[in-house]
């Protein structure tokens, strides 16, 4: 078997796993805890959930730090001092991993096959380092996880992908990057010289204004054949 690539690297959320909105669950738990033990907040959990969604969207798209997210979230829910809950929140997220994180369909089959191969494997993920590593371990992904919080660079920044290639010890063009987000994953990887495989979740068409992915799959089961050189 002749391999077309020497390495394969993954996005985590909605590519290899789903976390069932774990950080949103932890944010609502935080409001319940503050309301019961510190000071009444007079906010409905439905409203807290909406605020959590808005603040998490900023956290993901703008790379705001966790303390800022917690401060704003608790303030908008009628309290104060949210930033002081950061250690509690991080631990709460880790504790929720076994209950909420599940592999994407075919992810375990794929990881078993990769373990039998000579390919180098890694993940590059925007998010909190300890949490993303714990989520990866939960689905049996025991390869390096480069999390934006730890490396100080976020997808789609070129530097994040350059660092990924360096950590894998490979030229970018020898690595296939797999992700579900056209902008952060596919445009980011292509811009750094990787081949980029789009996992099409079926919810939105690929944006016409972005460079097309090297290939598109609908299931991780379609990945392995693409790693092999076509000789005919
Ligand atoms: Mg993703």
């Amino acid at each position: 078997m002749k391999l077309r690539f020497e390495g394969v690297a993954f996005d985590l959320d909605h590519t290899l796993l789903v976390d069932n909105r774990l950080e949103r669950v932890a944010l609502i738990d935080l409001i319940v805890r503050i309301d019961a033990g510190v000071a009444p907040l007079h906010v409905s959990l439905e409203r807290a959930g909406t605020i959590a969604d808005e603040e998490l969207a900023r956290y993901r798209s703008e790379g705001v730090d966790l303390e800022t997210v917690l401060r704003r979230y608790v303030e908008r829910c009628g309290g104060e001092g949210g930033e002081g809950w950061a250690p509690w929140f991080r631990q709460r997220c880790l504790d929720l991993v076994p209950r909420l994180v599940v592999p994407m369909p075919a992810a375990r089959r794929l990881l078993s096959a990769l373990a039998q191969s000579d390919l180098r494997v890694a993940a590059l993920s925007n998010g909190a380092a300890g949490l993303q590593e714990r989520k990866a371990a939960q689905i049996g992904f025991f390869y390096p996880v480069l999390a934006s919080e730890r490396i100080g660079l976020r997808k789609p920044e070129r530097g994040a992908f350059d660092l990924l290639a360096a950590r894998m010890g490979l030229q970018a063009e020898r690595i296939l990057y797999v992700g579900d987000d056209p902008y952060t994953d596919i445009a980011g990887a292509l811009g750094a010289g990787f081949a980029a495989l789009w996992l099409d979740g079926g919810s939105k068409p690929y944006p016409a204004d972005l460079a097309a992915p090297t290939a598109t799959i609908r299931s991780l089961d379609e990945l392995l054949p693409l790693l092999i050189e076509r000789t005919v």
Side-chain angles (χ1 to χ4, degrees):
M1 182 174 77
K2 187 162 182 248
L3 287 172
R4 190 176 159 204
F5 298 98
E6 292 178 72
V8 57
F10 295 92
D11 165 56
L12 287 179
D13 291 280
H14 303 284
T15 295
L16 286 180
L17 58 86
V18 290
D19 71 5
N20 288 296
R21 305 170 89 187
L22 182 154
E23 287 157 308
R24 183 186 201 270
V25 173
L27 283 177
I28 292 175
D29 287 350
L30 173 59
I31 288 306
V32 171
R33 192 177 173 90
I34 293 174
D35 184 75
V38 181
L41 292 176
H42 309 298
V43 66
S44 74
L45 292 187
E46 189 179 0
R47 176 70 187 138
T50 302
I51 297 169
D53 290 338
E54 291 168 4
E55 293 302 326
L56 285 172
R58 296 182 68 227
Y59 182 46
R60 293 191 184 113
S61 64
E62 297 170 25
V64 191
D65 66 23
L66 177 63
E67 283 74 11
T68 304
V69 170
L70 292 173
R71 179 177 53 73
R72 285 180 47 94
Y73 170 67
V74 172
E75 266 176 23
R76 292 183 64 195
C77 288
E80 58 184 25
E83 64 277 11
W85 288 88
W88 181 91
F89 178 81
R90 286 180 190 278
Q91 187 59 49
R92 182 70 187 141
C93 287
L94 293 177
D95 292 345
L96 287 168
V97 167
R99 186 147 58 84
L100 294 180
V101 171
V102 291
M104 288 284 281
R108 286 198 193 279
R109 273 194 299 279
L110 173 63
L111 291 175
S112 299
L114 289 176
Q116 308 297 315
S117 78
D118 295 329
L119 288 155
R120 293 186 201 175
V121 182
L124 175 63
S125 173
N126 285 349
L131 178 59
Q132 295 308 88
E133 289 161 3
R134 181 72 190 80
K135 284 160 62 174
Q138 179 67 24
I139 63 153
F141 185 93
F142 297 114
Y143 301 101
V145 174
L146 279 70
S148 59
E149 183 186 61
R150 180 137 25 239
I151 65 177
L153 295 159
R154 295 175 60 79
K155 295 182 289 184
E157 283 177 64
R158 164 135 201 185
F161 287 93
D162 289 345
L163 187 62
L164 174 64
R167 290 280 176 87
M168 294 177 78
L170 295 170
Q171 300 290 318
E173 61 267 25
R174 303 301 300 155
I175 304 170
L176 179 64
Y177 188 80
V178 186
D180 68 295
D181 188 300
Y183 178 63
T184 55
D185 294 323
I186 305 306
L190 290 172
F194 289 64
L197 184 60
W198 183 45
L199 178 60
D200 177 3
S203 59
K204 287 183 207 156
Y206 194 88
D209 59 338
L210 288 181
T214 310
T216 297
I217 56 173
R218 298 295 293 262
S219 161
L220 292 173
D221 278 330
E222 299 169 53
L223 194 158
L224 283 177
L226 297 173
L227 294 168
I228 299 165
E229 191 95 65
R230 289 171 211 279
T231 51
V232 287

